[in-house]
Amino acid sequence: ERPGMHEGHLAFYYNRYFRKPLSLQAYGALTVRGLVELFEDTLALDSPLPLLVSKLTEEESTKKFDMFLKLAERDRRDRLRR
């Protein structure tokens, strides 16, 4: 498994998954490093190689993903009720 993703590939994968170009200004950032600072609790940029790496352990990411799914499902039900 790869240790992380090179920061230069971020725009490519963002475009690949969201089907729109990455606009750092939309997030209030001027650089990728500035964007990473917004997610400092879960994401880091390694210094020697500019690799984006997760700060979460496997267990932490599973717990956070489970919570995300629960909240998304709750919001979906709320939208259906309206």
Side-chain angles (χ1 to χ4, degrees), residues 42-57:
T42 58
L43 193 62
L45 195 57
D46 274 352
S47 294
L49 295 173
L51 290 179
L52 294 167
V53 294
S54 175
K55 287 185 175 180
L56 300 176
T57 64

Side-chain angles (χ1 to χ4, degrees), residues 1 3-4 14 23-24 31-32 40 42 48 50-51 56 62 71 73:
E1 191 165 314
Y14 185 91
S23 172
L24 297 174
T31 63
V32 172
E40 64 186 18
T42 58
L51 290 179
L56 300 176
T62 302
L71 293 173
E73 182 61 19

Side-chain angles (χ1 to χ4, degrees), residues 14-28:
Y14 185 91
N15 188 7
R16 174 72 103 193
Y17 292 117
F18 296 109
R19 301 210 189 314
K20 59 183 180 180
L22 174 63
S23 172
L24 297 174
Q25 292 80 19
Y27 294 99

